[in-house]
Amino acid sequence: MGTTNFLGLCLLACQIITLHSFILDGNKYPFQDPNLSVDQRVDDLVKRLTLQELQEQMAIGAGAAPDIKRLGIGHYEWWSNCARGNTGNDATAFPASIGLAATWDDNLMLRAARAIGTELRAANNDWVKKGVYGIHKGLSCFSPTLDIFRDPRWGRNPETWGEDPYFASVYAHNFVNGIQGDDKKYLLANAGCKHYPAGSGPDNYPINRKQFDAKVSERDLQTSFLPGFKACIDAGSRGVFCAYNKVNGVPSCANSHVLNGILRNDWGFTGYVVSDCGAMEAMVHSNHYYKNYEEVAAGGLKAGTNLNCRGNNDNAFMSIVDAVKNNHITEDLVREMSKPLWNTRIRLGEFDPPHSVKYKSIGMDVVQSQAHRDLALEAAMKSFVLLKNDNNYLPLDKNHKYGTIAIVGPHGDNIHDQSGGYSPNVMSKYSSSIKDGLSALAKTVNTVNGCKDDTHCHQYDQGGIQNAVKNADVVFVCLGLGNKLEHEGTDRRDLKIPGHQIDILKDSISHSPHNTKIVLLIMSAGPLDIEEFDKNDKVAAIIQMFYPAQSTGEALRRLISHAHPGDVFSGRLPMTWMTDLSKVPPMTDYSMKEKTYRYITYDPLYPYGYGLSYTTFKYSNLKLQITTVQAGGHVKGSYDIQNTGPLDADEVSQVYVKFVSPSEPAPNIQLASFHRTHLRKGEKKTVKFIIHGQSMSLWNDQKGWIVAPGSVNVFIGGQQPNQHRKLSSNILQTSYKINGNHTFGRGKSAKWYPTTS
């Protein structure tokens, strides 16, 4: 027998043994074989499905995709929300995304996302064992939200990571790595970047999102709206969630330019695109882009949408079979477009033996574990931003017990509104309100809501407020918005403190004792018009709390009384806090002119990156390794921070770049790096940073991202940009030159480097 024949027989024998072992494991089909490549398994599975079965899998509706019993395939739920906890389930509740952004802590984002993914997997394991399927019971996230905070009135600002695209890129990288796990073969859960590509409002005012057409230039799209999505894809996200609105006349979920052109061709995305729920049907009923659902199904699949999430009873993708029969699309296209869905499910370990997928052993004991509760508390403490602290009124003396304090306002004892939207179920066992946290400060605590209805506060309990504050030693006024005033489908008309909530604050000022100070606590994502109280001497401190969720009271108690070393306010604003809407263009204007710190020409009340501390910091010894960089390269440097105040604390340092005589339109100033550093009192540390090549690039409509010769100024400090408010920390400044030209282009090399060091 020849050597070749002998080796062939050996190979055949090995294949037979492998197949025999495979069958003994209870599997019948190659797509169930963990030893094959994912692509091989997907190809085998898709070939076995009928066109009708493919349609049912791609038209998921508002519930789980159906099972396919003949192939041993179970139900699968594609719709879970995971941005700040396992929404709709008993789970650890982290601060709203805007609050997580206010921590300026990318490592915290990674750890929180890993905790969320772990609890998501635990719940899914439990639901699958019980045979229960449905919304918020699966492993595929409609998260994170990568829309930028470009207008303070948008109702979904709580779901964003603020207004800076570089910042969003860093957080996206860490969120995806956290939620999808650290196993090289299997996903813990999978991310879904939304609302691609430009869904940053409006939702319902002045026009409904299903009718709105976002007119956005290619430059603004690429430089403001897309960097976070690009980083999300680069980090390995399996999903992208297309928006309701049109973009330049074409619905997002049927927009081949943004789905096939940018997402797949330019960026190399291989995952699935799922529509926002009801977006496909809206193409017929709301924006009248297509005449019927066959056109929607064909147009969506051709443009790059793989999966339809219907809004109500109709389902446009249930017309896929008819679209094939009537030659609008080919069956081959349908099969190809289904493959990313099966690829994701295989990578989640759905068809593999439980013993081979480590994540299938995660039990419900991880939900609200002590480690996760501690992490939620850490996140809440780091998220609070101290906006005002006259004469160092805070911290209060933790060793002094006041006679009487007043806690007034609709957010003073409200564990539901303090959670904000898309939160896990509010678990009272693990939740503390402002009242719960602050009650330990005094012998007597007067708590009055002041609003007889809800946070709209149309009906006012004036007498109750006046009686509560009249003998108080300290008054905590707890105002804000909440889900009824700031949520999906609820845009604001103005920045006013709502209803009679303003009277709660005014009466607290006028009816409390002359020497009593007011601490204003705000729960919202966006700014409120508090300028007159920022200037009012009676209001000693103002704290922006965002929506801190379950750890609200305990986090506030520890910070406001400096309960332990290091319990110091350290959050920084992830958005610009303006108060004069006359300077803000309409929400429907998608030009970035006068939007975000990068393009505004006026001084806001509180600038992007702003936040006070109980201690002081000094920056020094700024060094760049090179003062001239070849275009496309990176600039590395370092600086020293010293805690020059009386308390241990964290400092958030921010690195910005400004182009001198840029070759293309450029932002006024641009975040390029940020770092959170813990410093004991008197301690000095050296912080290293990198300004990546992408941060030196500008958009050219013909060439894409380019780097041109010129000079770049660098600004480093703890409070930026522009620092028009008087603060104790200083700003360091230097510059470097760029030599030569470099083109990153539109594709894979145009990478927003998702690292801060």
Side-chain angles (χ1 to χ4, degrees), residues 376-386 394-396 405 407 411-412 418 432-439 441 476-478 519-523 541-545 548-564 567-569 614:
L377 175 60
E378 177 190 346
M381 291 179 66
K382 289 181 173 180
S383 72
F384 295 170
V385 180
L386 184 59
L394 298 179
L396 301 177
I405 64 171
I407 301 172
H411 290 280
Q418 74 188 28
S432 61
S433 68
I434 291 174
K435 176 187 176 183
D436 294 332
L438 298 184
S439 291
L441 299 178
F476 296 93
V477 180
C478 312
V519 178
L520 174 58
L521 306 174
I522 301 172
M523 285 204 192
I542 302 176
I543 302 166
Q544 173 63 13
M545 301 178 69
Q550 66 182 47
S551 301
T552 298
E554 176 62 10
L556 183 63
R557 179 194 70 81
R558 286 184 54 170
L559 289 172
I560 217 159
S561 63
H562 187 243
H564 305 100
D567 288 354
V568 173
F569 286 96
Y614 292 156

Short mmCIF file of all heavy atoms in Angstrom, two decimals, residues 376-386 394-396 405 407 411-412 418 432-439 441 476-478 519-523 541-545 548-564 567-569 614:
data_model
loop_
_atom_site.label_atom_id
_atom_site.label_comp_id
_atom_site.label_asym_id
_atom_site.label_seq_id
_atom_site.Cartn_x
_atom_site.Cartn_y
_atom_site.Cartn_z
N ALA A 376 -21.76 48.87 42.33
CA ALA A 376 -22.82 49.86 42.09
C ALA A 376 -22.66 51.06 43.01
O ALA A 376 -22.89 52.21 42.59
CB ALA A 376 -24.19 49.22 42.27
N LEU A 377 -22.26 50.83 44.25
CA LEU A 377 -22.01 51.93 45.19
C LEU A 377 -20.81 52.76 44.73
O LEU A 377 -20.86 54.00 44.73
CB LEU A 377 -21.77 51.37 46.59
CG LEU A 377 -21.36 52.38 47.67
CD1 LEU A 377 -22.44 53.45 47.86
CD2 LEU A 377 -21.06 51.67 49.00
N GLU A 378 -19.74 52.10 44.32
CA GLU A 378 -18.57 52.82 43.81
C GLU A 378 -18.95 53.69 42.61
O GLU A 378 -18.54 54.86 42.52
CB GLU A 378 -17.48 51.82 43.41
CG GLU A 378 -16.25 52.48 42.79
CD GLU A 378 -15.28 51.49 42.18
OE1 GLU A 378 -15.40 50.27 42.45
OE2 GLU A 378 -14.40 51.93 41.39
N ALA A 379 -19.75 53.12 41.71
CA ALA A 379 -20.15 53.86 40.52
C ALA A 379 -20.98 55.09 40.88
O ALA A 379 -20.78 56.18 40.33
CB ALA A 379 -20.94 52.95 39.58
N ALA A 380 -21.92 54.92 41.80
CA ALA A 380 -22.75 56.05 42.21
C ALA A 380 -21.91 57.15 42.84
O ALA A 380 -22.06 58.34 42.53
CB ALA A 380 -23.83 55.59 43.18
N MET A 381 -20.99 56.78 43.72
CA MET A 381 -20.15 57.78 44.39
C MET A 381 -19.28 58.54 43.40
O MET A 381 -19.10 59.75 43.52
CB MET A 381 -19.28 57.11 45.46
CG MET A 381 -20.05 56.59 46.65
SD MET A 381 -19.00 55.78 47.88
CE MET A 381 -18.02 57.16 48.46
N LYS A 382 -18.75 57.84 42.42
CA LYS A 382 -17.90 58.50 41.43
C LYS A 382 -18.68 59.33 40.43
O LYS A 382 -18.11 60.18 39.74
CB LYS A 382 -17.05 57.46 40.69
CG LYS A 382 -15.95 56.83 41.55
CD LYS A 382 -15.15 55.82 40.75
CE LYS A 382 -13.94 55.32 41.54
NZ LYS A 382 -13.14 54.32 40.77
N SER A 383 -20.00 59.09 40.35
CA SER A 383 -20.79 59.77 39.33
C SER A 383 -21.31 61.14 39.76
O SER A 383 -21.64 61.97 38.92
CB SER A 383 -21.99 58.89 38.93
OG SER A 383 -22.97 58.85 39.95
N PHE A 384 -21.40 61.40 41.07
CA PHE A 384 -21.95 62.68 41.53
C PHE A 384 -20.99 63.82 41.20
O PHE A 384 -19.79 63.72 41.46
CB PHE A 384 -22.19 62.66 43.03
CG PHE A 384 -23.25 61.68 43.49
CD1 PHE A 384 -23.42 61.41 44.83
CD2 PHE A 384 -24.07 61.04 42.58
CE1 PHE A 384 -24.39 60.53 45.27
CE2 PHE A 384 -25.04 60.15 43.01
CZ PHE A 384 -25.20 59.89 44.35
N VAL A 385 -21.54 64.91 40.68
CA VAL A 385 -20.72 66.07 40.33
C VAL A 385 -21.07 67.22 41.27
O VAL A 385 -22.22 67.66 41.34
CB VAL A 385 -20.95 66.50 38.87
CG1 VAL A 385 -20.08 67.72 38.53
CG2 VAL A 385 -20.63 65.35 37.92
N LEU A 386 -20.07 67.69 41.98
CA LEU A 386 -20.24 68.84 42.88
C LEU A 386 -20.08 70.11 42.04
O LEU A 386 -18.99 70.44 41.59
CB LEU A 386 -19.18 68.78 43.99
CG LEU A 386 -19.25 69.86 45.07
CD1 LEU A 386 -20.58 69.84 45.81
CD2 LEU A 386 -18.09 69.69 46.06
N LEU A 394 -19.40 71.98 52.33
CA LEU A 394 -19.28 70.52 52.42
C LEU A 394 -17.81 70.15 52.45
O LEU A 394 -16.97 70.85 51.88
CB LEU A 394 -19.95 69.87 51.20
CG LEU A 394 -21.44 70.10 51.02
CD1 LEU A 394 -21.94 69.40 49.76
CD2 LEU A 394 -22.24 69.63 52.23
N PRO A 395 -17.44 69.07 53.14
CA PRO A 395 -18.33 68.09 53.75
C PRO A 395 -18.87 68.54 55.10
O PRO A 395 -18.23 69.31 55.81
CB PRO A 395 -17.43 66.87 53.92
CG PRO A 395 -16.05 67.44 54.11
CD PRO A 395 -16.01 68.65 53.24
N LEU A 396 -20.04 68.01 55.43
CA LEU A 396 -20.59 68.23 56.76
C LEU A 396 -19.78 67.42 57.77
O LEU A 396 -19.16 66.42 57.42
CB LEU A 396 -22.05 67.80 56.80
CG LEU A 396 -23.00 68.51 55.82
CD1 LEU A 396 -24.40 67.92 55.95
CD2 LEU A 396 -23.01 70.00 56.07
N ILE A 405 -32.89 68.35 60.29
CA ILE A 405 -32.64 68.62 58.88
C ILE A 405 -33.96 68.43 58.13
O ILE A 405 -34.84 67.68 58.56
CB ILE A 405 -31.55 67.72 58.27
CG1 ILE A 405 -31.97 66.24 58.28
CG2 ILE A 405 -30.21 67.92 58.95
CD1 ILE A 405 -31.03 65.33 57.50
N ILE A 407 -35.55 67.39 54.38
CA ILE A 407 -35.34 66.78 53.06
C ILE A 407 -36.63 66.97 52.29
O ILE A 407 -37.64 66.31 52.57
CB ILE A 407 -34.99 65.29 53.19
CG1 ILE A 407 -33.73 65.09 54.03
CG2 ILE A 407 -34.80 64.66 51.80
CD1 ILE A 407 -33.41 63.65 54.35
N HIS A 411 -37.85 64.13 44.86
CA HIS A 411 -36.83 63.09 44.74
C HIS A 411 -36.20 62.73 46.08
O HIS A 411 -35.26 61.93 46.12
CB HIS A 411 -35.74 63.53 43.76
CG HIS A 411 -36.21 63.57 42.34
ND1 HIS A 411 -36.31 62.45 41.56
CD2 HIS A 411 -36.63 64.60 41.57
CE1 HIS A 411 -36.76 62.78 40.36
NE2 HIS A 411 -36.97 64.08 40.34
N GLY A 412 -36.74 63.27 47.16
CA GLY A 412 -36.12 63.04 48.46
C GLY A 412 -36.29 61.63 48.98
O GLY A 412 -35.43 61.11 49.70
N GLN A 418 -35.32 57.76 41.14
CA GLN A 418 -33.87 57.90 41.21
C GLN A 418 -33.16 56.86 40.34
O GLN A 418 -31.96 56.97 40.10
CB GLN A 418 -33.39 57.78 42.66
CG GLN A 418 -33.41 56.36 43.22
CD GLN A 418 -33.11 56.29 44.70
OE1 GLN A 418 -33.37 57.24 45.45
NE2 GLN A 418 -32.56 55.19 45.15
N SER A 432 -31.47 52.43 48.50
CA SER A 432 -31.53 53.47 49.54
C SER A 432 -31.84 54.81 48.88
O SER A 432 -31.22 55.18 47.89
CB SER A 432 -30.21 53.55 50.32
OG SER A 432 -29.13 53.88 49.47
N SER A 433 -32.82 55.51 49.42
CA SER A 433 -33.18 56.83 48.92
C SER A 433 -32.33 57.90 49.58
O SER A 433 -31.55 57.62 50.51
CB SER A 433 -34.66 57.10 49.21
OG SER A 433 -34.87 57.23 50.61
N ILE A 434 -32.49 59.13 49.12
CA ILE A 434 -31.79 60.25 49.75
C ILE A 434 -32.14 60.31 51.23
O ILE A 434 -31.27 60.48 52.10
CB ILE A 434 -32.14 61.57 49.04
CG1 ILE A 434 -31.53 61.59 47.64
CG2 ILE A 434 -31.65 62.78 49.85
CD1 ILE A 434 -31.94 62.78 46.80
N LYS A 435 -33.42 60.16 51.55
CA LYS A 435 -33.85 60.17 52.96
C LYS A 435 -33.17 59.05 53.74
O LYS A 435 -32.68 59.27 54.86
CB LYS A 435 -35.36 60.01 53.04
CG LYS A 435 -35.88 59.92 54.47
CD LYS A 435 -37.37 59.59 54.50
CE LYS A 435 -37.85 59.39 55.94
NZ LYS A 435 -39.28 59.00 55.98
N ASP A 436 -33.12 57.85 53.17
CA ASP A 436 -32.47 56.72 53.84
C ASP A 436 -31.02 57.04 54.17
O ASP A 436 -30.52 56.71 55.25
CB ASP A 436 -32.52 55.47 52.96
CG ASP A 436 -33.93 54.95 52.74
OD1 ASP A 436 -34.79 55.16 53.60
OD2 ASP A 436 -34.16 54.34 51.67
N GLY A 437 -30.34 57.70 53.25
CA GLY A 437 -28.93 57.99 53.46
C GLY A 437 -28.67 59.11 54.44
O GLY A 437 -27.76 59.02 55.27
N LEU A 438 -29.48 60.18 54.37
CA LEU A 438 -29.18 61.38 55.15
C LEU A 438 -29.81 61.41 56.52
O LEU A 438 -29.48 62.27 57.35
CB LEU A 438 -29.61 62.62 54.36
CG LEU A 438 -28.91 62.84 53.02
CD1 LEU A 438 -29.36 64.16 52.39
CD2 LEU A 438 -27.39 62.81 53.16
N SER A 439 -30.73 60.49 56.79
CA SER A 439 -31.44 60.53 58.07
C SER A 439 -30.51 60.37 59.27
O SER A 439 -30.80 60.87 60.36
CB SER A 439 -32.51 59.43 58.11
OG SER A 439 -33.56 59.72 57.21
N LEU A 441 -27.90 61.88 59.82
CA LEU A 441 -27.19 63.11 60.14
C LEU A 441 -27.85 63.93 61.25
O LEU A 441 -27.23 64.86 61.78
CB LEU A 441 -27.09 63.99 58.88
CG LEU A 441 -26.35 63.41 57.68
CD1 LEU A 441 -26.40 64.39 56.51
CD2 LEU A 441 -24.90 63.08 58.04
N PHE A 476 -32.07 70.09 52.55
CA PHE A 476 -31.71 69.41 51.31
C PHE A 476 -32.93 69.48 50.39
O PHE A 476 -33.99 68.92 50.69
CB PHE A 476 -31.34 67.95 51.57
CG PHE A 476 -30.12 67.79 52.43
CD1 PHE A 476 -30.23 67.66 53.81
CD2 PHE A 476 -28.85 67.79 51.87
CE1 PHE A 476 -29.10 67.52 54.61
CE2 PHE A 476 -27.72 67.66 52.66
CZ PHE A 476 -27.84 67.53 54.04
N VAL A 477 -32.78 70.19 49.28
CA VAL A 477 -33.86 70.35 48.32
C VAL A 477 -33.58 69.41 47.15
O VAL A 477 -32.58 69.55 46.45
CB VAL A 477 -33.97 71.80 47.84
CG1 VAL A 477 -35.11 71.94 46.84
CG2 VAL A 477 -34.19 72.74 49.02
N CYS A 478 -34.49 68.44 46.95
CA CYS A 478 -34.26 67.33 46.02
C CYS A 478 -35.18 67.47 44.81
O CYS A 478 -36.35 67.06 44.85
CB CYS A 478 -34.51 66.01 46.73
SG CYS A 478 -33.69 65.88 48.35
N VAL A 519 -28.73 72.87 50.46
CA VAL A 519 -27.97 71.99 49.57
C VAL A 519 -28.95 71.52 48.50
O VAL A 519 -29.94 70.83 48.80
CB VAL A 519 -27.37 70.80 50.32
CG1 VAL A 519 -26.64 69.87 49.33
CG2 VAL A 519 -26.42 71.27 51.41
N LEU A 520 -28.71 71.92 47.25
CA LEU A 520 -29.59 71.57 46.14
C LEU A 520 -29.10 70.28 45.49
O LEU A 520 -27.96 70.21 45.02
CB LEU A 520 -29.62 72.71 45.12
CG LEU A 520 -30.39 72.46 43.82
CD1 LEU A 520 -31.85 72.11 44.10
CD2 LEU A 520 -30.29 73.68 42.90
N LEU A 521 -29.96 69.28 45.49
CA LEU A 521 -29.65 67.98 44.89
C LEU A 521 -30.51 67.81 43.64
O LEU A 521 -31.74 67.95 43.71
CB LEU A 521 -29.95 66.85 45.88
CG LEU A 521 -29.28 66.96 47.26
CD1 LEU A 521 -29.77 65.86 48.18
CD2 LEU A 521 -27.77 66.89 47.13
N ILE A 522 -29.87 67.53 42.50
CA ILE A 522 -30.58 67.47 41.22
C ILE A 522 -30.49 66.07 40.63
O ILE A 522 -29.41 65.51 40.52
CB ILE A 522 -29.99 68.48 40.22
CG1 ILE A 522 -30.07 69.90 40.79
CG2 ILE A 522 -30.71 68.41 38.88
CD1 ILE A 522 -29.34 70.93 39.95
N MET A 523 -31.65 65.54 40.24
CA MET A 523 -31.70 64.28 39.51
C MET A 523 -32.21 64.56 38.11
O MET A 523 -33.38 64.87 37.91
CB MET A 523 -32.59 63.26 40.22
CG MET A 523 -31.93 62.69 41.45
SD MET A 523 -32.57 61.10 41.89
CE MET A 523 -31.86 60.92 43.53
N ALA A 541 -24.44 74.72 48.37
CA ALA A 541 -23.88 73.63 47.56
C ALA A 541 -24.93 73.14 46.56
O ALA A 541 -26.13 73.14 46.85
CB ALA A 541 -23.43 72.47 48.45
N ILE A 542 -24.44 72.74 45.39
CA ILE A 542 -25.30 72.15 44.36
C ILE A 542 -24.62 70.86 43.89
O ILE A 542 -23.43 70.86 43.57
CB ILE A 542 -25.50 73.09 43.16
CG1 ILE A 542 -26.13 74.43 43.62
CG2 ILE A 542 -26.39 72.43 42.11
CD1 ILE A 542 -26.26 75.45 42.50
N ILE A 543 -25.39 69.79 43.86
CA ILE A 543 -24.86 68.48 43.47
C ILE A 543 -25.72 67.92 42.34
O ILE A 543 -26.94 67.77 42.49
CB ILE A 543 -24.85 67.50 44.65
CG1 ILE A 543 -24.01 68.06 45.81
CG2 ILE A 543 -24.33 66.13 44.22
CD1 ILE A 543 -24.21 67.32 47.12
N GLN A 544 -25.10 67.60 41.22
CA GLN A 544 -25.77 66.91 40.12
C GLN A 544 -25.59 65.42 40.33
O GLN A 544 -24.47 64.91 40.36
CB GLN A 544 -25.21 67.33 38.77
CG GLN A 544 -25.72 66.54 37.58
CD GLN A 544 -27.21 66.69 37.35
OE1 GLN A 544 -27.86 67.56 37.92
NE2 GLN A 544 -27.76 65.84 36.51
N MET A 545 -26.72 64.71 40.50
CA MET A 545 -26.67 63.29 40.85
C MET A 545 -27.00 62.37 39.67
O MET A 545 -26.84 61.15 39.78
CB MET A 545 -27.64 63.02 41.99
CG MET A 545 -27.35 63.84 43.24
SD MET A 545 -28.55 63.56 44.57
CE MET A 545 -28.16 61.88 45.03
N PRO A 548 -28.73 57.77 40.03
CA PRO A 548 -27.72 56.86 40.61
C PRO A 548 -28.22 55.45 40.91
O PRO A 548 -27.43 54.58 41.21
CB PRO A 548 -27.35 57.57 41.93
CG PRO A 548 -28.08 58.88 41.93
CD PRO A 548 -29.21 58.76 40.99
N ALA A 549 -29.55 55.24 40.90
CA ALA A 549 -30.15 53.93 41.10
C ALA A 549 -30.02 53.46 42.55
O ALA A 549 -30.12 54.26 43.48
CB ALA A 549 -29.61 52.92 40.10
N GLN A 550 -29.76 52.17 42.75
CA GLN A 550 -29.99 51.56 44.05
C GLN A 550 -29.12 52.11 45.18
O GLN A 550 -29.52 52.08 46.34
CB GLN A 550 -29.82 50.05 43.97
CG GLN A 550 -28.41 49.56 43.67
CD GLN A 550 -28.35 48.04 43.55
OE1 GLN A 550 -29.17 47.43 42.87
NE2 GLN A 550 -27.39 47.42 44.22
N SER A 551 -27.95 52.61 44.88
CA SER A 551 -27.01 53.04 45.92
C SER A 551 -27.09 54.53 46.24
O SER A 551 -26.21 55.06 46.91
CB SER A 551 -25.58 52.69 45.49
OG SER A 551 -25.44 51.30 45.26
N THR A 552 -28.14 55.19 45.81
CA THR A 552 -28.23 56.65 45.91
C THR A 552 -27.97 57.17 47.32
O THR A 552 -27.10 58.01 47.55
CB THR A 552 -29.63 57.11 45.45
OG1 THR A 552 -29.80 56.76 44.07
CG2 THR A 552 -29.78 58.62 45.60
N GLY A 553 -28.76 56.71 48.28
CA GLY A 553 -28.67 57.26 49.63
C GLY A 553 -27.35 57.01 50.30
O GLY A 553 -26.76 57.90 50.92
N GLU A 554 -26.87 55.78 50.21
CA GLU A 554 -25.60 55.44 50.85
C GLU A 554 -24.44 56.20 50.20
O GLU A 554 -23.54 56.69 50.90
CB GLU A 554 -25.36 53.93 50.76
CG GLU A 554 -24.03 53.45 51.31
CD GLU A 554 -23.82 53.73 52.80
OE1 GLU A 554 -24.78 54.14 53.48
OE2 GLU A 554 -22.69 53.53 53.28
N ALA A 555 -24.45 56.32 48.87
CA ALA A 555 -23.39 57.06 48.18
C ALA A 555 -23.39 58.52 48.62
O ALA A 555 -22.33 59.11 48.88
CB ALA A 555 -23.58 56.96 46.68
N LEU A 556 -24.57 59.12 48.70
CA LEU A 556 -24.66 60.53 49.10
C LEU A 556 -24.21 60.73 50.54
O LEU A 556 -23.49 61.68 50.85
CB LEU A 556 -26.09 61.03 48.91
CG LEU A 556 -26.32 62.50 49.20
CD1 LEU A 556 -25.51 63.38 48.25
CD2 LEU A 556 -27.81 62.84 49.09
N ARG A 557 -24.64 59.85 51.43
CA ARG A 557 -24.23 59.96 52.84
C ARG A 557 -22.72 59.94 52.98
O ARG A 557 -22.13 60.78 53.69
CB ARG A 557 -24.84 58.81 53.65
CG ARG A 557 -24.45 58.83 55.14
CD ARG A 557 -24.78 57.53 55.83
NE ARG A 557 -23.93 56.43 55.40
CZ ARG A 557 -22.70 56.20 55.86
NH1 ARG A 557 -22.16 57.03 56.76
NH2 ARG A 557 -21.99 55.18 55.44
N ARG A 558 -22.09 59.02 52.30
CA ARG A 558 -20.64 58.89 52.44
C ARG A 558 -19.91 60.11 51.90
O ARG A 558 -18.95 60.60 52.52
CB ARG A 558 -20.17 57.62 51.72
CG ARG A 558 -20.51 56.35 52.50
CD ARG A 558 -19.96 55.10 51.85
NE ARG A 558 -18.51 55.18 51.60
CZ ARG A 558 -17.77 54.14 51.23
NH1 ARG A 558 -18.34 52.95 51.07
NH2 ARG A 558 -16.47 54.29 51.01
N LEU A 559 -20.38 60.66 50.78
CA LEU A 559 -19.71 61.81 50.19
C LEU A 559 -19.98 63.09 50.95
O LEU A 559 -19.08 63.91 51.17
CB LEU A 559 -20.15 61.97 48.73
CG LEU A 559 -19.64 60.92 47.75
CD1 LEU A 559 -20.31 61.10 46.39
CD2 LEU A 559 -18.12 61.00 47.60
N ILE A 560 -21.23 63.28 51.34
CA ILE A 560 -21.60 64.56 51.93
C ILE A 560 -21.05 64.73 53.34
O ILE A 560 -20.91 65.85 53.83
CB ILE A 560 -23.14 64.71 51.90
CG1 ILE A 560 -23.54 66.15 51.60
CG2 ILE A 560 -23.79 64.21 53.18
CD1 ILE A 560 -24.93 66.31 51.08
N SER A 561 -20.69 63.61 53.98
CA SER A 561 -20.12 63.67 55.33
C SER A 561 -18.67 63.22 55.36
O SER A 561 -18.08 63.14 56.45
CB SER A 561 -20.95 62.80 56.28
OG SER A 561 -20.88 61.43 55.89
N HIS A 562 -18.10 62.96 54.20
CA HIS A 562 -16.72 62.43 54.13
C HIS A 562 -16.57 61.31 55.15
O HIS A 562 -15.73 61.34 56.04
CB HIS A 562 -15.69 63.54 54.38
CG HIS A 562 -14.28 63.09 54.15
ND1 HIS A 562 -13.34 63.05 55.15
CD2 HIS A 562 -13.64 62.64 53.03
CE1 HIS A 562 -12.19 62.60 54.67
NE2 HIS A 562 -12.35 62.35 53.38
N ALA A 563 -17.39 60.27 54.97
CA ALA A 563 -17.48 59.20 55.96
C ALA A 563 -16.20 58.41 56.12
O ALA A 563 -15.87 57.95 57.21
CB ALA A 563 -18.63 58.27 55.59
N HIS A 564 -15.46 58.23 55.02
CA HIS A 564 -14.21 57.46 55.05
C HIS A 564 -13.15 58.20 54.24
O HIS A 564 -13.49 59.00 53.37
CB HIS A 564 -14.42 56.06 54.46
CG HIS A 564 -15.52 55.28 55.08
ND1 HIS A 564 -16.77 55.17 54.51
CD2 HIS A 564 -15.57 54.57 56.23
CE1 HIS A 564 -17.54 54.43 55.27
NE2 HIS A 564 -16.84 54.06 56.34
N ASP A 567 -13.59 59.47 50.48
CA ASP A 567 -14.99 59.75 50.14
C ASP A 567 -15.12 61.23 49.80
O ASP A 567 -15.54 62.06 50.62
CB ASP A 567 -15.91 59.39 51.31
CG ASP A 567 -16.05 57.89 51.50
OD1 ASP A 567 -15.54 57.14 50.66
OD2 ASP A 567 -16.69 57.48 52.49
N VAL A 568 -14.76 61.55 48.57
CA VAL A 568 -14.71 62.93 48.09
C VAL A 568 -15.36 62.99 46.71
O VAL A 568 -15.15 62.09 45.88
CB VAL A 568 -13.25 63.43 48.00
CG1 VAL A 568 -13.16 64.80 47.34
CG2 VAL A 568 -12.61 63.46 49.38
N PHE A 569 -16.14 64.01 46.45
CA PHE A 569 -16.75 64.17 45.13
C PHE A 569 -15.66 64.20 44.06
O PHE A 569 -14.68 64.93 44.17
CB PHE A 569 -17.56 65.46 45.06
CG PHE A 569 -18.87 65.40 45.81
CD1 PHE A 569 -18.96 65.88 47.11
CD2 PHE A 569 -19.99 64.85 45.22
CE1 PHE A 569 -20.16 65.83 47.80
CE2 PHE A 569 -21.20 64.80 45.90
CZ PHE A 569 -21.29 65.28 47.20
N TYR A 614 -13.21 68.28 47.31
CA TYR A 614 -12.96 68.82 48.65
C TYR A 614 -11.48 69.19 48.83
O TYR A 614 -11.11 69.80 49.83
CB TYR A 614 -13.31 67.79 49.71
CG TYR A 614 -14.77 67.48 49.86
CD1 TYR A 614 -15.17 66.26 50.41
CD2 TYR A 614 -15.76 68.39 49.49
CE1 TYR A 614 -16.51 65.95 50.58
CE2 TYR A 614 -17.10 68.09 49.66
CZ TYR A 614 -17.47 66.86 50.20
OH TYR A 614 -18.80 66.56 50.37
#
